[in-house]
Structure formats: structure tokens, C-alpha cells
Amino acid sequence: MTTSISIILNNIPCEGHAGQTILEVARANGIRIPTLCHHERLKPIGSCRLCMVEVEGSGSPVAACTTPARSGMIVRTHTPALEKLRRDTLLLLLVDHRLDCDSCELDGACRVQELARCYGITQAEIDQLGFCPVPRGPVTYGATPLITYHPDRCIRCGRCVKACEEISEQAVLSFAGRGAATTIAPMEQDGKFSGECLSCGECMAVCPVNALTETHVVEALPDGARVKKIRTICPYCGCGCTM
Ligand code: FES
């Protein structure tokens, strides 16, 4: 049996049930809080910090996607201070991700571009900040030769890492490096990959910025290998398994 709870969101009493996060109660009551790392199929990640909200009595804003809603909570989701915080967070995230990425198939339909439009952020404003991100080209990994990683698009939200672990139950992907040099890479233990990539495509499916794409199959094959066309209904990888 689910226990009902009631919280005040932006001065409006809202119903939810025990176990829901503030974000889930807000969405169920038609209040939109910006999110980026959150994905319905994954456990909360809490990395992007766009969903910050004010909870009366707590000293500083909290992430709505990871904070459980409790009866009697008084929550504000769109104060000027929160909107400024979100805009600043987004600006910092964008110093390493160009808005005019016209080589990307998601150009024009990218969640990051959409948020930048909402918050009136332009490439000119980002350039004025003076950061010079190191240009990094796409890479393929031995563990996942059918998937290409584009570090210059990646916002390190962690959705792909979680999808590999929670949906595919493989835990092949992990964060590598630190700070601005952080990337996504196959996890290695004792020189071996810690899981087996199934090329299931779940990491690509949850990526909000198209940082993981299908490798052109011919490029992924060893030298001299031949390509044979087959009929398949596989919606994911296009690699042509016949199961
Ligand atoms: Fe909550 Fe990213 S959506 S921290």
C-alpha cells in the first residue's frame, strides 16, 4: 500500500506518495523543473545540478532528482536565485560543448541546445568567458568497437555509465580522468575490461547529446574482413546479429 504525502510546491499544495523524489512529485503535479542527467529508466544520478530547488529549512539548494519528498516540505522551484544558479551551471557546462555543433546529427534537437535557448545563452557569450577547451576527436575502444565516443560532445552526465550498469547489467563503462580531462571509457581491472560490451546501444539511447554513436561497421572490422548484408529487425546496434 502506498502512503500519500502532501508538499507545498511554489505555494501550491501538491500530492505525492512516499518514496517519490521532489522531482517526481513536481512532474506529477505539472511543474517542470529543468533536468539533464535525469532519465526515467535510470536511478537518480544527481550530476548536472540543473534541478536544484529551495527547501525551506535547508541551508542551501538541493537536487530535486535525488531528494526524497517528505510530507509538509515547502519547496520553491523557480526563484530568481535558482534560475541564476541554473544559468551559471549551464554556462560552465557549455564551455566544453559548442552550441554550433553542426557536424552532430542531433544539431537542432539537442537537449543542451534547447536549455541554452531557454536561458538565452549564446556561443558568443560562452566564447567571451575565455576558456579554451582542448579539441578532442572521436575515439573507439577495444571493448566497444561498434560504438564511437565523441569527448567533445560529452557533458559527463553519467547516463551512459548508469545505463550500462543498470539496464544492460554489464558495467563496462566508467568515468576516466579528472576535472576538465574527465572522459567516459571502458572500465579496466588488472588490465582486463571489467565487463563485456553487448553492443546493445543502451548507452547511446540515453545520451542527451549524441556523444556515443554507432561506429561505421566497416571501420570497426579488422583489416581484410568482408561485409555481408543480412536482414535484421534489431532496433539497436545495426551490427547484424542473426538471433
Ligand atoms: Fe538532478 Fe541532474 S537532473 S542533478
Side-chain angles (χ1 to χ4, degrees):
M1 198 182 76
T2 53
T3 311
S4 297
I5 58 168
S6 176
I7 69 172
I8 308 289
L9 275 167
N10 302 335
N11 298 323
I12 302 165
C14 295
E15 298 299 315
H17 58 78
Q20 280 186 310
T21 60
I22 294 174
L23 180 68
E24 286 168 333
V25 176
R27 285 189 170 174
N29 286 274
I31 296 171
R32 289 193 64 184
I33 299 173
T35 59
L36 199 47
C37 66
H38 180 78
H39 193 283
E40 299 70 29
R41 297 173 68 204
L42 304 170
K43 289 183 192 149
I45 303 169
S47 64
C48 75
R49 315 314 277 173
L50 282 186
C51 68
M52 303 303 275
V53 295
E54 291 171 357
V55 176
E56 214 160 279
S58 72
S60 48
V62 298
C65 68
T66 55
T67 307
R70 287 189 309 275
S71 249
M73 259 183 170
I74 299 175
V75 182
R76 286 175 290 274
T77 63
H78 286 80
T79 63
L82 285 172
E83 287 298 87
K84 178 170 182 331
L85 183 64
R86 288 187 187 126
R87 193 178 194 282
D88 290 348
T89 303
L90 202 51
L91 254 181
L92 286 177
L93 194 142
L94 284 164
V95 296
D96 206 17
H97 181 104
R98 289 200 68 80
L99 283 176
D100 49 359
C101 36
D102 49 12
S103 65
C104 174
E105 302 76 27
L106 212 59
D107 189 25
C110 169
R111 175 77 180 132
V112 168
Q113 287 177 326
E114 183 193 331
L115 282 164
R117 270 195 301 276
C118 286
Y119 284 91
I121 296 173
T122 61
Q123 189 61 51
E125 182 183 0
I126 300 161
D127 291 343
Q128 273 175 10
L129 294 176
F131 287 95
C132 297
V134 182
R136 293 174 292 182
V139 285
T140 55
Y141 296 116
T144 58
L146 293 168
I147 296 172
T148 296
Y149 173 54
H150 304 259
D152 54 336
R153 298 177 190 170
C154 180
I155 54 169
R156 287 70 137 180
C157 64
R159 278 190 188 183
C160 55
V161 174
K162 282 274 186 184
C164 191
E165 184 186 322
E166 293 173 13
I167 303 175
S168 311
E169 298 182 351
Q170 294 304 306
V172 175
L173 292 175
S174 172
F175 287 103
R178 283 170 172 264
T182 305
T183 57
I184 302 296
M187 194 167 3
E188 285 184 63
Q189 281 167 359
D190 305 328
K192 293 198 183 118
F193 296 119
S194 62
E196 186 187 351
C197 175
L198 307 174
S199 299
C200 64
E202 293 291 1
C203 55
M204 295 190 287
V206 297
C207 178
V209 290
N210 209 27
L212 290 158
T213 59
E214 266 181 62
T215 304
H216 191 276
V217 173
V218 175
E219 287 163 15
L221 292 172
D223 283 351
R226 301 211 354 243
V227 179
K228 180 180 150 205
K229 270 193 181 176
I230 62 156
R231 289 170 65 82
T232 175
I233 56 166
C234 175
Y236 292 120
C237 60
C239 63
C241 64
T242 51
M243 298 173 70

